[in-house]
Amino acid sequence: PCSKSPWNLKGDLFINFLNLLDENIYTLQQKIFEHIFLSGSAIFFASLLAIPLGITITRLPFLRKILLSVGSVSQTIPSLAFLAFLVPFMGLGTIPTLTVLIFYAFYPILRSTYAGFQNIPPDCQEAADSLGFSSFQKIWFVELPLAAPVLISGVRIATASIIGITTIAAFVGAGGLGDFITQGLALNSTPLILLGSIPTAFLALGFDYGLSRFEKHLHHRKEKRKSLGWISFFLLGSSICYFFVAGGYFFLREYVFTPLKPITIASKNFTEQYILAELMAQLIEAKTDLKVTRKLNLGASDIVHKALIKGEVDLYPEYSGTAYLTILKESWSPQETNIFEKVRQVYKEKYNLIWLDPFGFSNSQSLAIKKELAKEYKVTSLTDLENLSPQLKIAAPPEFLKRADGFPNLSKAYGLKFKSIVQIDISLLYTVIRQSKIDVIVAFTTDGKIPKYNLVILKDNKNFYPPYHAAPVIRKEICDAYPEIQVVLSPLLGLIDDKKMRDLNYEVDVKGVSPQKAAHTFLLKHHLL
């Protein structure tokens, strides 16, 4: 068939985006609420800290140099790295996210406050002194009004920046529009990415416009002071009201009017995890009275496992091989038998966590190459790749490059010495090999994209990898408090074989069906709903 023209592709993208918008309109509204609450709270608390300190350093030169220098250097720290650093100490959710956002909002507001007070005409200060103003009166009635335009410009810059940075909240389950972006990256879905990025951009532009109008209104040095105008006043007032209504609604709903502690279901950051989490969440929602909170796309196993131990999440799907090698730090040998039962026993004794029965499939990992390359060099197994590897480039996610069952030990076992190694997010692996920028990628045996991209998974003929049986892992306290969870999940366990899981992944990754819809259709098809 003839390939589609760019115009048709753009038209399809637009239609898919509109369909996705229609399906997720209520979720989008909730994510906007969460986004505004997080970014607005960060600006508010950063202003409470930065404005008084900005005024203080105009009086204390020794403190000024320290704060401005440290603040300037702090802006060079990557926000995602800082968030990852805080997670082990603060856990997941709102607290580490707000800490990061306040940290990045602080310096622009501090700097603008200092600049605004430094630019106050000396004669105004002398006039205030001659009138006998106290220090507080001088600041409140003279200096602060004169410095306000510059101060507001700093708040404006911080607000636009923080609205963009708030998308990192998705990586620690704090919500916001970043949820759409990270899921879109994981699912290679441009419409889903746009669903998160377009509202984020509009929020930043809207608040920037409102604050810019307010900033112009505060300038005192114009001969004729102009009013804001009813349109500008309406837009600014609407933005402020929307912030308070949306933020207040989210805060009350999440922290005040939640009648029961919800069951929090988490997942790691790839398609299969989204689907398994949705299958469990939809069954629990349909067959119990429990409220389910989803914290998807939390990243590597270590992060989700620590969150489970701390009680920040209650249930998530894990793989026996990953738990055995990465969490328990055990050494695998092909002579090892029934590692699932060993993992189940140690988890219960050491972490007070319960492994339910497996879903029914094993998702092992290996390396994948294009069929043309495999055919040309007659490569079918990882052993066959040894002599060819010095000519090839491999791409792998960060977790694979460090884990015990990842690249270091795999390359030793098979004598692999690649021409170059590229670290890349797991969601982009298939994109780079499709574009022929990479020759080899890390792949999983149940990936739905394998046939679409015409790839071959190389056989692990030395049994380097243990079995990766997927199963729900749940906190024992939750199991004891809500025994109905295990009852409603039991029909799902043992039901999903390798082919069914591959087909589910194919529906999402290739056909573009959402994980929610794919899970719902599967449950209906097997009469579980």
Side-chain angles (χ1 to χ4, degrees), residues 218-355:
L218 289 174
H219 279 285
H220 292 270
R221 298 174 190 174
K222 294 184 178 180
E223 293 180 4
K224 186 177 180 180
R225 187 172 173 179
K226 296 181 180 180
S227 64
L228 278 172
W230 73 269
I231 295 177
S232 300
F233 182 79
F234 174 77
L235 289 173
L236 179 60
S238 298
S239 298
I240 294 171
C241 290
Y242 187 70
F243 159 68
F244 281 110
V245 171
Y249 167 80
F250 173 71
F251 181 82
L252 292 173
R253 181 176 62 83
E254 290 295 318
Y255 299 104
V256 179
F257 296 121
T258 303
L260 293 174
K261 183 184 181 301
I263 302 300
T264 302
I265 296 180
S267 80
K268 291 185 272 187
N269 57 344
F270 53 94
T271 302
E272 185 168 290
Q273 284 275 305
Y274 297 153
I275 295 171
L276 293 174
E278 276 295 332
L279 287 169
M280 295 189 292
Q282 291 184 28
L283 269 179
I284 293 171
E285 286 174 329
K287 300 203 171 186
T288 73
D289 295 327
L290 298 172
K291 177 186 174 184
V292 175
T293 297
R294 293 163 173 80
K295 286 191 177 182
L296 309 183
N297 198 54
L298 292 184
S301 297
D302 284 335
I303 294 175
V304 191
H305 178 71
K306 289 174 183 175
L308 195 67
I309 292 173
K310 290 182 179 180
E312 294 170 334
V313 301
D314 302 311
L315 171 66
Y316 86 106
E318 186 54 281
Y319 304 91
S320 57
T322 303
Y324 190 77
L325 296 172
T326 305
I327 306 298
L328 302 182
K329 310 294 184 186
E330 296 285 350
S331 298
W332 158 253
S333 68
Q335 291 74 35
E336 202 66 57
T337 58
N338 206 357
I339 67 166
F340 183 87
E341 290 302 325
K342 183 174 181 180
V343 166
R344 173 182 267 177
Q345 181 181 350
V346 175
Y347 260 62
K348 185 175 181 180
E349 294 172 355
K350 188 174 182 180
Y351 304 117
N352 209 28
L353 300 176
I354 304 297
W355 278 69

Side-chain angles (χ1 to χ4, degrees), residues 31 34 40 43 53 60 169 180 231 243 261 263 271 286 352 374 397 475 479 488 506 510:
K31 297 303 174 185
E34 294 171 354
I43 294 296
L53 275 174
L60 301 173
F180 290 124
I231 295 177
F243 159 68
K261 183 184 181 301
I263 302 300
T271 302
N352 209 28
R475 295 196 300 121
C479 245
V488 299
Y506 182 85
V510 179

